[in-house]
Amino acid sequence: MIRNTCKPLFDANASAGGRDLGKLPEWDLTDLYPSQDSKELADDMAWLEQACANFAADYEGKLTDLDATGWLNAVERHEKIEAIAGRIMSFAGLRYYQLTTDSDRTKFMSDCQEKVTVYTTPLVFFTLELNRLDDTVLDDHFAANDALARYKPAFDRIRAMKPYQLSDEMEKFLHDLGVVGDAWERLFDETIAGLEFEVNGEPLNIEGTLNLLTEQDRPTRQAATEELARVFADNIRTFARVHNTQAKEKEIMDRWRGMPTPQTGRHLSNDVEPEVVEALRNAVVAAYPRLSHRYYALKAKWLGLETMQVWDRNAPLPMETTRTVNWDEARDTVMSAYAGFDPRMAEIAEPFFSKGWIDAAVKPGKAPGAFAHPTVTDVHPYIMLNYLGKPRDVMTLAHELGHGVHQVLAAGQGEMLASTPLTLAETASVFGEMLTFQKMLDGAKDQAERKVMLAGKVEDMINTVVRQIAFYDFECKLHEARRGGELTPDDINALWMSVQAESLGPVFEFMPGYETFWAYIPHFVHSPFYVYAYAFGDGLVNALYAAYQEQPEGFQDKYFDMLKAGGSKHHKALLAPFGLDASDPKFWDKGLSMIEGFIDELEAMEG
């Protein structure tokens, strides 16, 4: 039950890249601890060691003897342990992600992780003994104590793992062994952060190079894509080793636990039924011709191309003006959109900008991508960006700030119930993007600007829905193939290419070297099968936003209640007040029809 809060999931001082972006904010981590050698941190580490030992001494082998009040005391003590362990690992992890190439930060995080793992190993008994109790025993305790009954959703999620639980000794062994798997993730992170590229004579890290794929100049996009392919190829054996090892470790775990598929564990942690995910996946794949194939054919026409290359996929439109959005403008745009929906949303978002809760600049050694890390419920979230002043970076800010608002609102649920399943974790982030997009669209000064904005939104949605489901299919194939033996880099390359043409459509050609582009996607390593949560979140938000447009009266209060619920309710219960049901196969068609409608409008503009 101890969450490993040093590993935020990536969503993918000086001004960056020579651009004048204004003063970019940096993290102030002192709300967690004053420094890595502070007395406060040392005291918490000592407290954690003793608290875990005391907890095990008081409760191991005795859970069956507890009454409802005793159970409530145990849960509250466990939550306090989670909070302290999470605070320590959040501090160590965030410092590390600021500068992954710094050996002192790497050592500090690794040392913290090892100590926390050792200290919390005695707690493994708690979930094991809990899962040996009869349902009737727990139900009686819940009926006897309302304060304890509040935790029932967390207990239900733990007990969903009951059929896959191993012996106490094995579970403790696996808990201890977790730091070894983490080492492979760190190898991936440090390899990615340390990659060096050169485009048009300019040395760049991976974030700066990927950024060039959205440049107006086509030769620059081509040069950046070819340079990415060259560097990935030079490092492909390392990436293949990481993926082989991680996939094999997962296969061993799944086999020992008796999980029927590689995806089962993710579905359980997401509190979502496999058939719901399958319905989502099938709906998106069936819509490829209506969405990505149709849009990219339209884009090829705008670009004056008969065939698109991979470096054209995220190209700006010819009629799009190349401009840099400075930080103040990005902040004002997003905050205005949030306030326009509900002033409470902007009030929650404001401290992120004023109190050092955002780290925005691109810096050497900083982890690529973006994330919002909730830390622990008695502190606050932190947002990491790699802000380069692109219009899409504004949408990334809107996205991560949505996560942050969600995490602030859910914190009232406490450590056991605040975290939402990944499928629901994307709700507020994608909704924040939609609010920002609609605000910008309403302000379009003419049809040409509206066209550019609509096209940009369609591309973002295709990247969120189509691309992520293609990623999910790739992962399914990868893990299935790994069960048959070691995969060579060429094997993995072939699996990657098998999903690309299907998802992107016949207008694309794929240059030699593109087959290695699976190598830099962090989700495949950090959190297998995470990616379908993006498509789930986008479809859910499209349906939510349609409900908002149809019936705005009272929507805000229902929306805030949904975010405040955190992980305390199943997706059916959360969506019921809006008249929505994700288990209905037609639900996904509603979300996809919004994307289709935007493409319809773009096609009509051609007429």
Side-chain angles (χ1 to χ4, degrees), residues 189-239:
D189 290 340
E190 289 161 17
T191 302
I192 285 287
L195 294 180
E196 295 178 353
F197 304 83
E198 186 175 312
V199 181
N200 299 333
E202 182 181 2
L204 296 164
N205 64 5
I206 190 168
E207 201 67 36
T209 311
L210 289 168
N211 183 59
L212 295 179
L213 303 187
T214 58
E215 282 293 321
Q216 190 71 259
D217 181 62
R218 194 176 191 225
T220 297
R221 297 198 307 271
Q222 179 177 350
T225 307
E226 291 173 345
E227 177 68 353
L228 287 165
R230 182 190 69 79
V231 175
F232 292 159
D234 286 348
N235 293 272
I236 203 67
R237 291 174 66 86
T238 299
F239 291 122

Side-chain angles (χ1 to χ4, degrees), residues 505-540:
V507 77
F508 276 93
E509 278 185 358
F510 297 97
M511 67 160 201
Y514 181 67
E515 66 274 6
T516 63
F517 274 49
W518 52 270
Y520 77 96
I521 310 297
H523 302 79
F524 300 158
V525 175
H526 282 279
S527 194
F529 305 108
Y530 176 100
V531 289
Y532 74 72
Y534 286 113
F536 194 110
D538 196 270
L540 189 155

